Amino acid sequence: VNIGTAFHPLSYTLSCEALPETIELIQDFEMPTVCTSIRVSRDGQFILAAGTYKPRVRCYDTYQLSLKFERCLESDGELVTFDILSEDYSKLVFLHIDRYVEFHSQHGHYYKTRIPKFGRDFSYHYPSCDLYFVGASSEVFRLNLEQGRFLNSLQTDAAEINVCDINPVHQLFAAGTLEGRVDCWDPRVRSRVAVLDCALSSITDGTEVEGLPSVSALKFNGSLGMAVGTSTGQVLVYDLRSSRPLLVKDHYYGLPIKSLHFHDQLDLVLSADSKIIKMWNKDNGKVFSSIEPQANINDVCLYPGSGMLFTANEDPKMNTFYIPALGPAPHWCSFLDNLTEELEENPESTIYDDYKFVTRKDLENLGLTHLIGSPLLRAYMHGFFMDIRLYHKVKTMANPFAYEEYRKDRIRQKIEESRTQRVQLKKLPKVNKELAMKLMEESELPTRKKKKKGNVVDNLLSDDRFKVMFENPDYQVDERSEEFRLLNPIVSKVGEKRRQKLSHHSGLQQDEEEEEVEGRGSSEEEESSDDDDKSWVEEVREQRRLIRAEENRQQEPQRHSQPRFYQIKAGEEFRSFGDVARKQKMQKTSLEERLQREESSGRLNLNDTAVGSKQLTFTLKKVSMNYPELSCFVIFTGCLLVTAAGQMIMTMQL
């Protein structure tokens, strides 16, 4: 059992599918397959639930908060309904779908009998110990438990009777018929005293009725109040002194009403169909709260004098809901009041409530990157959470024509859906046309090649899971991206052929296409060869070179805008930035180029000798030394002689 909030701001719910804060209120509060009916004993200590499969009943002790016993029923037929005749679990009556009526006492099975027709509901008349059975017949069968025999039946004008109930104050017996009428009988004289036409009264201006409304639920409230539920989803509130309903409430689901309960403290009516439980004021019909479980509802039981109710569902789990606004918690689970008080004092709002998740790219498109780090954005994983109201406001300002574009897209989708009924041609989608053409070409391969891939290619275009990839422009393949150009080295050759074919194909679809396909049209067909297939290495290199060139062009303005730094070595005289640049350039040149430059400047003399040797004369550059211990400049001159034998003789003169 989980603690969560109902639809009313002052209500809290203990539900099996609400929030992760779990409280196991009653252990093993479930059925093997499905629970059909659920009841609470008059002393409030025991909760009994009936379900399948096999047909069984389980009794839970609220004082121990656990299962007390479990019994499988004698009959193999499914259980229609059951009732508790005593203050505790010692006297039980079960009605089966195969006309059997089974009685249980405190120790177990007691007796089993059969009624003449298939039963749908029954009620117990305490003053006379009579059981009234209604079903697929116009008669109301009476079984007296004191005498142990059937009594004379009550004859009605209806073809079939769906439900029945007995007023706890004056013991008036009421039966809801298939024709939408309620027959009221006085058990003392065994005669019909009144008839209410609920089918005609349920048709009003504010109700939606399809078909003939039959009575599907019936419940008395006090001595003069009564609520009638129809098979078309309406609830009629009556005062027994009038034949017209005081109020008609529509569920707007078109489902039969399965359960009705009155809450006297707040003047509420709890009506339930298989989808939802609605709580509304019996005087004006104003909705107080509503509960919509995940599984379909079979029965609802309100714990007397509290705000707790139980539901039997088309699911193994039986739900428990606690709404403090309806009343306090039962005495056996009074700790729930303390929990709800803590929830009211410390409301916890999750980060996902009323927030929109956006990535950094979305913020750049909206122009909200300056909000990063502010309280308006909450960092989460690879993006941020922002208030949904702020998101809608900024998106409207950034793109005021978004709704018009969305409207045009929806109209275009409707038109395309209507065209599917026409004769279909080989048509390409509007998004990822080249990818679709590639898949079509692969699907047209010979059967021997298609066996390796199976039917994956054939099903990819028709698979609904990949339909968005060819409809939503956000999934368009970006062929200019770096990843695409490197992972597809021969895309320029194969893609060029596909573009030519695509441009030719677009001419045939020009009447239906709203956007023309861009491509170069050519009537000549290029022939592929083995050299083209093996040229992917050169293509990859070319793509890398182009990518580096693009990066350099993007970084070039940044280089000029940044300052340049130079290092001056110790002992050198700084003249200009150009001189430093020239020295760095000279260091990168070859020896031959440096000798030619020195010879042209006159600082180097290279002569040939008679025997083929080389004579190199050079003069060292004057360098001013700023040493305090030296008082003169030193100039070196010398001559380097290279003999024919390869010997080098160097003479130096100071």
Side-chain angles (χ1 to χ4, degrees):
V1 180
N2 299 330
I3 297 180
T5 59
F7 295 93
H8 191 268
L10 300 178
S11 304
Y12 292 88
T13 307
L14 272 76
S15 169
C16 292
E17 56 273 349
L19 289 177
E21 300 178 3
T22 302
I23 299 175
E24 190 173 4
L25 190 62
I26 300 176
Q27 295 182 2
D28 301 328
F29 197 60
E30 59 184 9
M31 277 288 170
T33 306
V34 173
C35 181
T36 57
S37 301
I38 188 168
R39 301 283 187 273
V40 177
S41 62
R42 288 201 293 266
D43 59 4
Q45 183 179 354
F46 302 101
I47 302 172
L48 289 97
T52 57
Y53 180 80
K54 218 172 160 246
R56 68 189 66 206
V57 59
R58 288 184 174 181
C59 179
Y60 297 90
D61 191 349
T62 57
Y63 292 171
Q64 303 297 328
L65 298 179
S66 61
L67 178 65
K68 185 175 182 62
F69 65 84
E70 178 183 7
R71 297 176 189 168
C72 288
L73 304 179
E74 293 288 332
S75 178
D76 294 334
E78 293 185 5
L79 197 65
V80 178
T81 184
F82 79 101
D83 200 0
I84 306 172
L85 304 184
S86 60
E87 296 289 333
D88 53 6
Y89 66 91
S90 58
K91 295 179 182 180
L92 306 175
V93 182
F94 300 93
L95 176 62
H96 293 271
I97 198 172
D98 54 359
R99 297 192 291 142
Y100 276 103
V101 180
E102 193 169 337
F103 298 89
H104 282 227
S105 61
Q106 190 170 4
H107 63 82
H109 175 74
Y110 179 77
Y111 186 74
K112 183 172 69 172
T113 186
R114 209 171 189 185
I115 58 177
K117 299 292 183 178
F118 293 98
R120 295 178 181 174
D121 197 8
F122 69 90
S123 296
Y124 182 62
H125 187 247
Y126 284 93
S128 62
C129 299
D130 289 344
L131 274 174
Y132 289 82
F133 293 95
V134 298
S137 174
S138 61
E139 297 180 275
V140 179
F141 304 106
R142 295 192 300 154
L143 176 62
N144 188 273
L145 301 185
E146 183 180 8
Q147 301 177 21
R149 65 187 182 92
F150 283 96
L151 303 179
N152 293 333
S153 303
L154 304 179
Q155 186 65 40
T156 65
D157 298 334
E160 296 178 359
I161 304 175
N162 295 329
V163 292
C164 63
D165 193 20
I166 295 179
N167 192 294
V169 179
H170 47 68
Q171 307 301 319
L172 182 68
F173 173 76
T177 64
L178 184 65
E179 292 80 5
R181 295 192 300 267
V182 176
D183 292 352
C184 299
W185 297 73
D186 188 355
R188 298 172 297 180
V189 296
R190 297 188 301 276
S191 62
R192 187 171 60 184
V193 295
V195 177
L196 294 176
D197 192 353
C198 301
L200 184 61
S201 301
S202 63
I203 302 175
T204 60
D205 296 337
T207 58
E208 299 177 1
V209 178
E210 296 180 2
L212 178 63
S214 60
V215 179
S216 60
L218 192 63
K219 188 70 174 180
F220 280 104
N221 178 35
S223 59
L224 299 176
M226 183 179 66
V228 179
T230 64
S231 59
T232 54
Q234 290 83 31
V235 180
L236 296 84
V237 180
Y238 281 94
D239 189 324
L240 293 181
R241 296 169 293 185
S242 174
S243 60
R244 295 183 179 180
L246 302 177
L247 179 67
V248 179
K249 181 69 175 179
D250 197 343
H251 271 216
Y252 296 106
Y253 281 100
L255 301 174
I257 304 298
K258 292 194 172 185
S259 177
L260 289 171
H261 293 277
F262 285 92
H263 193 277
D264 297 330
Q265 288 79 5
L266 299 178
D267 293 334
L268 299 178
V269 178
L270 281 70
S271 56
D273 55 21
S274 60
K275 189 176 184 64
I276 193 171
I277 304 172
K278 288 192 175 183
M279 309 171 195
W280 41 277
N281 191 281
K282 67 178 183 180
D283 297 326
N284 51 26
K286 184 179 179 181
V287 176
F288 175 78
S289 180
S290 60
I291 302 173
E292 188 172 352
Q294 293 183 354
N296 290 340
I297 302 171
N298 290 329
D299 193 14
V300 177
C301 178
L302 180 63
Y303 195 91
S306 71
M308 181 175 290
L309 55 92
F310 307 99
T311 61
N313 314 309
E314 288 288 332
D315 192 71
K317 276 286 185 181
M318 294 178 287
N319 292 339
T320 304
F321 297 94
Y322 173 49
I323 305 177
L326 292 180
H331 60 88
W332 48 271
C333 57
S334 57
F335 59 89
L336 294 179
D337 290 329
N338 299 331
L339 293 178
T340 54
E341 290 177 1
E342 293 177 2
L343 289 176
E344 290 180 355
E345 293 175 358
N346 302 319
E348 296 182 1
S349 60
T350 59
I351 193 175
Y352 307 101
D353 293 343
D354 300 329
Y355 276 82
K356 172 70 175 178
F357 181 80
V358 292
T359 60
R360 188 177 291 271
K361 185 177 180 180
D362 296 336
L363 293 177
E364 294 177 357
N365 297 334
L366 297 174
L368 299 178
T369 53
H370 62 283
L371 296 180
I372 298 177
S374 65
L376 297 176
L377 295 178
R378 301 185 183 183
Y380 184 76
M381 295 179 66
H382 63 285
F384 305 89
F385 276 110
M386 66 181 302
D387 193 283
I388 190 66
R389 296 170 296 180
L390 176 62
Y391 174 78
H392 287 313
K393 186 180 294 184
V394 174
K395 190 174 181 180
T396 304
M397 297 174 62
N399 190 6
F401 304 102
Y403 176 74
E404 293 296 332
E405 296 176 359
Y406 170 77
R407 182 172 173 271
K408 292 180 181 179
D409 292 340
R410 293 294 298 174
I411 294 175
R412 184 169 60 252
Q413 291 178 6
K414 292 293 183 181
I415 295 175
E416 292 177 355
E417 290 177 359
S418 63
R419 288 175 179 172
T420 56
Q421 300 177 358
R422 305 177 183 177
V423 179
Q424 294 295 319
L425 300 176
K426 187 177 180 181
K427 184 178 179 181
L428 294 176
K430 292 187 177 181
V431 181
N432 291 327
K433 295 183 178 181
E434 296 187 7
L435 177 60
M437 183 176 291
K438 177 182 176 182
L439 296 175
M440 290 180 180
E441 292 176 356
E442 292 179 357
S443 63
E444 295 174 358
L445 292 175
T447 308
R448 185 176 301 175
K449 295 183 179 180
K450 289 177 66 177
K451 287 183 179 179
K452 298 181 181 179
K453 299 184 178 181
N455 297 326
V456 177
V457 178
D458 297 338
N459 299 332
L460 188 59
L461 292 173
S462 59
D463 197 337
D464 294 338
R465 297 175 296 175
F466 304 98
K467 183 174 63 175
V468 184
M469 188 172 63
F470 301 101
E471 295 179 354
N472 193 344
D474 296 338
Y475 292 89
Q476 178 67 42
V477 177
D478 188 9
E479 298 182 0
R480 295 176 299 177
S481 62
E482 179 181 352
E483 294 81 2
F484 182 85
R485 292 163 63 180
L486 294 179
L487 294 176
N488 298 270
I490 57 174
V491 69
S492 58
K493 294 182 175 58
V494 180
E496 186 63 31
K497 300 177 185 178
R498 196 170 289 117
R499 289 192 190 95
Q500 296 174 3
K501 191 174 180 180
L502 187 63
S503 61
H504 177 70
H505 187 77
S506 63
L508 302 177
Q509 299 179 353
Q510 188 173 5
D511 296 337
E512 297 184 0
E513 295 289 343
E514 295 182 4
E515 299 178 0
E516 296 183 356
V517 181
E518 296 182 1
R520 292 183 303 171
S522 176
S523 60
E524 300 180 357
E525 296 184 357
E526 299 181 1
E527 298 180 355
S528 61
S529 61
D530 296 339
D531 296 338
D532 294 339
D533 297 337
K534 296 179 181 179
S535 63
W536 63 273
V537 177
E538 289 78 4
E539 187 68 26
V540 170
R541 292 176 180 174
E542 181 66 19
Q543 293 294 335
R544 289 185 181 275
R545 187 187 65 78
L546 294 175
I547 292 173
R548 285 196 297 268
E550 293 176 359
E551 293 178 353
N552 293 335
R553 285 197 298 269
Q554 294 177 358
Q555 296 177 359
E556 190 66 26
Q558 299 179 0
R559 293 178 180 175
H560 291 294
S561 61
Q562 295 179 357
R564 302 177 65 182
F565 297 93
Y566 298 91
Q567 181 180 3
I568 301 176
K569 296 182 180 180
E572 292 185 358
E573 181 181 358
F574 176 75
R575 296 181 179 180
S576 65
F577 289 105
D579 189 25
V580 176
R582 185 180 60 79
K583 288 183 179 180
Q584 293 179 354
K585 187 175 181 180
M586 285 291 296
Q587 292 177 357
K588 297 180 180 179
T589 58
S590 61
L591 177 62
E592 181 182 3
E593 294 178 355
R594 290 200 301 268
L595 292 177
Q596 292 177 359
R597 291 183 181 182
E598 292 290 338
E599 185 177 3
S600 61
S601 62
R603 289 179 295 179
L604 182 67
N605 188 13
L606 183 63
N607 297 322
D608 295 336
T609 59
V611 294
S613 301
K614 297 287 184 179
Q615 180 179 359
L616 179 65
T617 305
F618 61 92
T619 303
L620 295 180
K621 185 179 179 181
K622 296 181 180 181
V623 180
S624 68
M625 310 285 253
N626 199 9
Y627 297 108
E629 62 271 12
L630 297 179
S631 58
C632 64
F633 299 102
V634 181
I635 301 176
F636 290 95
T637 60
C639 181
L640 179 64
L641 301 178
V642 182
T643 62
Q647 297 179 352
M648 291 187 299
I649 303 174
M650 182 176 180
T651 61
M652 190 172 294
Q653 181 179 1
L654 180 62

